[in-house]
Amino acid sequence: MKDRVSRRKFLGTASAAAVMPQLWASRQAVPFHAFLPEQAAPHVYPTRIVDMHVHFDEKKANFISDLLKLSERLNLTACLLTPFRNRKVVAEAAKQHPRQIVPFGFVDLDAPDVVQQAEELHAMGYRGLGEMEFVKKPYNDPSYFPLYELANRYGWIVLFHTGIVLREHFDEPEDVASGRMRPIYLEEIARRFPKITVLGAHCGNPEYEWAAEIARWNPNVFFDLSGSTLTKMHGRLAEFQKIFWWSATEWHSAEWNVRTPNNDPNAFIKIVFGSDTDLNEIESVANQYHAMFDACDVPERTRKMIMGGTLGKMLGLPD
Ligand SMILES: [Zn+2]
């Protein structure tokens, strides 16, 4: 939120023990691709990528033009998570470039006027909210219900941070706790407000099993794998098959066939692409997703849905 670059560095490197000492000593960027296997070849992106998790960075004067260039190169549509104060510039950019930018409102759930903020965002053409984070109460607290009711009425996608969260100020008291942002809280929101598409960022890191099980039983719940997870697990990516376990089984919910994107029975269909990184590292994260697909034998048609098909359909994006 406040400094996306340092956040990503923090998330992306927290588990990379080998580079930790240097990182902490120097506080310098460690390029994300440093953690990728050396043989990882760049992928070609013939079909559109939709990235659920791109934070608008007001500190970068050329952010929009840089994003448009990247979009051209990677065939990328960015769901742009936009602080309320930046709402106008992003709404304008999204109107001019609907194929490249989908505006999402980054609001503070605890703000007393959050419902009015969401109404204004809706009137401006915003397509959903996110990333919710740094909440003062657990996500399922009834005081947040008026906002969820509104989002339900709009049929919005709402992106919630789930799991471990960075510590922004080491020397000052902070009212921030990852325990308020556990993936299990998304279940109640999804069930009480069935027209919201509930999207959990970071797949609950490290509560992946809870995240997957909630996604399994709730057609309106999906997760992205942004953050440190794919770095942490890069040597054991096949473990995701144990977490998203139901692909090759007879299990299906009554609604499964009706509500699953493209009627895809593969468990990994509950994942969507999200990078949560600097623009110049999005391609590295896409490559990490592909390494996970290879390790877990994710079929081609499911990969396409994860990388853009599912969100493209939900958002009704032009081809
Ligand atoms: Zn997050």
Side-chain angles (χ1 to χ4, degrees):
M1 183 168 73
K2 286 167 190 145
D3 185 346
R4 306 309 313 176
V5 182
S6 64
R7 159 171 305 205
R8 180 60 184 180
K9 282 173 203 160
F10 190 92
L11 288 169
T13 56
S15 61
V19 297
M20 281 283 282
Q22 300 94 299
L23 175 73
W24 285 108
S26 68
R27 304 235 171 184
Q28 281 176 0
V30 175
F32 208 66
H33 50 73
F35 307 119
L36 291 171
E38 278 185 17
Q39 68 273 22
H43 279 261
V44 180
Y45 302 102
T47 50
R48 189 216 310 248
I49 301 174
V50 182
D51 187 337
M52 184 60 231
H53 203 138
V54 181
H55 287 273
F56 176 71
D57 188 346
E58 66 181 344
K59 283 190 236 129
K60 300 211 167 94
N62 299 326
F63 185 89
I64 297 287
S65 58
D66 288 349
L67 173 59
L68 292 172
K69 273 182 228 148
L70 183 73
S71 168
E72 173 81 13
R73 189 166 71 76
L74 294 184
N75 195 8
L76 176 95
T77 301
C79 297
L80 202 47
L81 312 174
T82 307
F84 190 69
R85 64 180 173 275
N86 304 122
R87 63 197 177 282
K88 290 196 177 113
V89 60
V90 171
E92 196 47 49
K95 267 184 205 125
Q96 284 174 27
H97 307 282
R99 206 186 172 286
Q100 288 82 13
I101 297 171
V102 182
F104 277 71
F106 188 172
V107 294
D108 175 1
L109 262 179
D110 294 287
D113 62 341
V114 68
V115 171
Q116 289 92 309
Q117 287 186 19
E119 283 168 342
E120 185 179 336
L121 291 166
H122 185 258
M124 292 173 79
Y126 276 72
R127 303 297 306 277
L129 298 174
E131 179 185 16
M132 305 301 190
E133 59 185 349
F134 296 142
V135 275
K136 300 284 178 274
K137 288 163 273 185
Y139 283 140
N140 65 342
D141 191 274
S143 65
Y144 300 144
F145 286 3
L147 179 67
Y148 299 154
E149 265 154 31
L150 187 67
N152 192 58
R153 217 176 319 139
Y154 294 153
W156 262 353
I157 296 173
V158 183
L159 177 70
F160 293 86
H161 172 96
T162 61
I164 190 71
V165 73
L166 63 79
R167 183 163 169 185
E168 282 193 309
H169 307 291
F170 293 97
D171 304 322
E172 298 164 27
E174 275 188 328
D175 185 8
V176 175
S178 42
R180 302 168 190 162
M181 298 181 279
R182 297 181 64 189
I184 194 165
Y185 297 129
L186 302 192
E187 177 190 55
E188 186 177 348
I189 298 166
R191 291 179 184 197
R192 281 183 184 270
F193 307 99
K195 294 200 177 96
I196 298 180
T197 297
V198 176
L199 227 149
H202 323 303
C203 203
N205 181 17
E207 293 186 320
Y208 308 119
E209 286 202 86
W210 267 114
E213 293 298 329
I214 290 161
R216 181 167 69 89
W217 265 113
N218 294 283
N220 55 332
V221 175
F222 295 80
F223 285 91
D224 79 31
L225 277 171
S226 64
S228 55
T229 292
L230 291 172
T231 303
K232 172 170 61 177
M233 294 180 67
H234 85 273
R236 48 188 174 106
L237 290 170
E239 285 181 24
F240 280 104
Q241 283 175 305
K242 293 184 197 158
I243 298 161
F244 290 86
W245 57 266
W246 57 96
S247 300
T249 72
E250 292 299 304
W251 184 88
H252 58 92
S253 75
E255 284 202 274
W256 187 253
N257 293 330
V258 187
R259 300 283 297 268
T260 300
N262 263 15
N263 290 334
D264 190 331
N266 192 284
F268 286 93
I269 199 74
K270 303 302 310 214
I271 290 175
V272 297
F273 179 65
S275 65
D276 189 21
T277 187
D278 228 8
L279 294 178
N280 59 16
E281 290 175 349
I282 290 177
E283 191 173 13
S284 296
V285 180
N287 286 335
Q288 287 192 308
Y289 264 69
H290 281 277
M292 187 277 283
F293 297 158
D294 290 344
C296 295
D297 294 326
V298 178
E300 191 54 40
R301 78 169 192 157
T302 310
R303 297 179 187 214
K304 280 190 186 147
M305 294 304 285
I306 294 170
M307 294 306 290
T310 298
L311 282 165
K313 226 172 163 180
M314 282 177 191
L315 293 163
L317 298 181
D319 285 327

